[in-house]
Amino acid sequence: MNNDVAVLGAGIVGVSTALHLQARGRSVVLVDRRGPGEETSYGNAGLIERSSVVPYAFPRNIRTLLRFALNRSSDVRYDWKHLPGIAPWLFQYWRHSSPRRLAEAARAMLPLIERCVSEHRPLLQEAGATHLARGTGWLDICRTPSDLASSRKAAEHLREYGLSYDVLDGWQLREMEPAVSPSIAGAIHWRDPVTVSSPGAVTKAYAELFLRRGGKFVRADARQLSQGNGHWSLPSEAGELRARDMVVALGAWSTDVAGPLGYRIPLAVKRGYHMHFSPAGGVSLSRPLVSDEGFVLSPMLDGIRLTTGVELAPRDAAPTPLQLDKAEAIARTLVSLGSRVEPEAWMGARPCLPDMKPVIGRAEKRPGLWFNFGHAHHGFTLGPVSGRLLAEQMTGETPAVDLAPFSAERF
């Protein structure tokens, strides 16, 4: 089990990294404790989000903060006992959400966001997964005329980024999506993003492409990683795995490996839930709907998927589906939903850094160690582009995007 590179993590980021390294002639083994695409890459809303040119910042509006403080909203909930432990991270998140620092983060992230669709497209084609992708964009739902006016104004502020969008009144919206309630005033239709009907299936298709091209996949516990004699070692179900280079792409579990190797990276977790619903009366959606209450309704192979906003709680704590229940109650006022498809909600963990940028690149303290994690809400969006950038750096190419803003040494 000797390889040039081992990639720890078989989510969209790890699989994409493995594919790009393989395309550059490296022998690569992909490592995970589960199958490809079975953690966060499975449960998201399936958006390749070309229109998210400004990162999700910590709110600075007093009314919004007070609403969140009551801990009753559907978009953000928190575990009181978790707050003392996460308070330093939240303070740093708040600091980096100042107008100046947010603008800096947006500038750094923009070259990645601009490439997200173009990097997914060839992989979708080569993996035989184009049937899972839709070029229909997504809808920002507005309940009232004043909400629609505010959303129109916000969209106009993004014109400099060259994004395509339409402003729909209620009649136009229901012509496009008959399942939407007549009480909704309208929507902004963002046309640049691509969405998929099963992000887990897309990730698995990319992994199968990697295997068809001669790559290997093994199950192992990445926390047993060790280094010595010029290579990395890891016991696996297939025997001892050895590699000259090791990529940590474990999402919310990345610091379980990076920490013991000397890296104190301030990674926090925003948990989220999803549930599938059968379409009421057989009328489904043709594109995702995004609500200002923090949830997304997205048409999937398994039904209409409701994905929640943010839950601040320990990564491994038991699920608390209160947020999902509240989001469902609101969602039913927006769209005709049938019954729940699954008996229990799915729960996942988004890996988030306080400056709203991932870690991509060389770990300077450890020869042969590389990082690719911390993509927050945009892991599925940015997996292929960040995989390409890291592979370019690892193989001596000049990355298409300056990776200095994403260095682990910034912490």
Side-chain angles (χ1 to χ4, degrees):
M1 290 293 288
N2 294 315
N3 307 271
D4 294 330
V5 188
V7 178
L8 305 179
I12 188 67
V13 175
V15 172
S16 298
T17 303
L19 276 166
H20 280 292
L21 286 165
Q22 184 185 58
R24 286 160 176 78
R26 298 298 192 265
S27 62
V28 186
V29 59
L30 192 60
V31 183
D32 206 311
R33 62 182 178 178
R34 303 183 64 180
E38 293 183 5
E39 287 284 1
T40 311
S41 295
Y42 165 75
N44 60 77
L47 275 64
I48 303 172
E49 237 307 55
R50 172 63 183 87
S51 63
S52 281
V53 293
V54 179
Y56 293 114
F58 193 101
R60 292 194 159 220
N61 178 284
I62 295 298
R63 290 181 63 184
T64 302
L65 289 171
L66 289 174
R67 181 166 63 86
F68 289 168
L70 294 173
N71 207 20
R72 298 174 184 169
S73 69
S74 65
D75 37 1
V76 176
R77 290 188 65 84
Y78 55 88
D79 178 350
W80 288 95
K81 298 187 292 296
H82 186 52
L83 286 184
I86 202 175
W89 185 89
L90 289 172
F91 176 66
Q92 291 300 319
Y93 186 18
W94 177 82
R95 286 184 66 241
H96 284 288
S97 297
S98 69
R100 178 180 64 82
R101 294 189 179 197
L102 180 60
E104 290 174 357
R107 282 195 296 273
M109 293 297 295
L110 183 61
L112 278 66
I113 294 292
E114 288 177 330
R115 290 167 168 79
C116 66
V117 173
S118 62
E119 288 295 338
H120 264 283
R121 276 183 177 143
L123 295 182
L124 286 165
Q125 182 70 40
E126 293 161 22
T130 54
H131 64 287
L132 298 171
R134 300 175 295 247
T136 53
W138 60 270
L139 293 165
D140 177 10
I141 294 295
C142 303
R143 286 177 172 272
T144 68
S146 63
D147 292 339
L148 184 59
S150 296
S151 294
R152 180 199 296 262
K153 187 174 181 181
E156 289 172 352
H157 288 161
L158 300 179
R159 283 189 182 278
E160 64 182 286
Y161 298 104
L163 298 174
S164 303
Y165 68 89
D166 297 313
V167 181
L168 309 178
D169 61 25
W171 183 85
Q172 292 169 318
L173 171 61
R174 280 176 287 281
E175 280 284 300
M176 184 176 288
E177 297 290 353
V180 173
S181 168
S183 65
I184 306 304
I188 306 297
H189 179 203
W190 294 98
R191 293 189 277 118
D192 297 285
V194 170
T195 67
V196 302
S197 58
S198 177
V202 168
T203 305
K204 284 185 180 295
Y206 289 2
E208 288 164 5
L209 173 64
F210 167 74
L211 295 176
R212 289 199 301 273
R213 291 176 172 177
K216 290 172 282 187
F217 172 77
V218 299
R219 295 180 187 268
D221 184 346
R223 293 171 297 182
Q224 299 180 43
L225 182 68
S226 62
Q227 185 182 29
N229 299 321
H231 65 263
W232 295 92
S233 299
L234 181 66
S236 78
E237 63 178 13
E240 184 183 16
L241 181 156
R242 293 185 180 186
R244 183 184 68 244
D245 290 312
M246 187 69 60
V247 177
V248 178
L250 290 163
W253 293 266
S254 295
T255 48
D256 291 3
V257 172
L261 295 175
Y263 277 88
R264 299 185 63 185
I265 297 174
L267 188 75
V269 167
K270 296 179 182 178
R271 302 202 314 179
Y273 300 83
H274 87 222
M275 173 61 69
H276 292 102
F277 297 84
S278 60
V283 180
S284 188
L285 299 171
S286 56
R287 55 185 58 74
L289 311 183
V290 179
S291 165
D292 61 3
E293 284 93 350
F295 59 82
V296 180
L297 288 162
S298 190
M300 296 284 178
L301 296 179
D302 297 325
I304 298 176
R305 178 179 291 182
L306 169 61
T307 63
T308 67
V310 170
E311 182 187 51
L312 298 176
R315 183 192 67 192
D316 300 324
T320 54
L322 294 174
Q323 189 179 36
L324 179 65
D325 294 341
K326 190 171 185 65
E328 178 185 346
I330 299 170
R332 289 186 179 279
T333 69
L334 303 179
V335 174
S336 300
L337 293 177
S339 58
R340 290 188 173 195
V341 172
E342 299 99 349
E344 295 182 356
W346 175 91
M347 184 184 75
R350 307 175 183 101
C352 303
L353 292 159
D355 61 357
M356 295 161 284
K357 297 176 292 187
V359 174
I360 307 172
R362 178 184 290 106
E364 300 289 351
K365 300 175 187 176
R366 292 272 187 163
L369 182 63
W370 309 80
F371 292 145
N372 198 356
F373 62 85
H375 296 73
H377 297 260
H378 295 316
F380 189 75
T381 292
L382 297 177
V385 63
S386 64
R388 171 184 286 277
L389 295 173
L390 183 62
E392 287 173 343
Q393 187 183 62
M394 290 179 68
T395 56
E397 299 177 43
T398 300
V401 174
D402 181 14
L403 292 182
F406 310 108
S407 170
E409 315 308 321
R410 72 187 192 267
F411 302 112

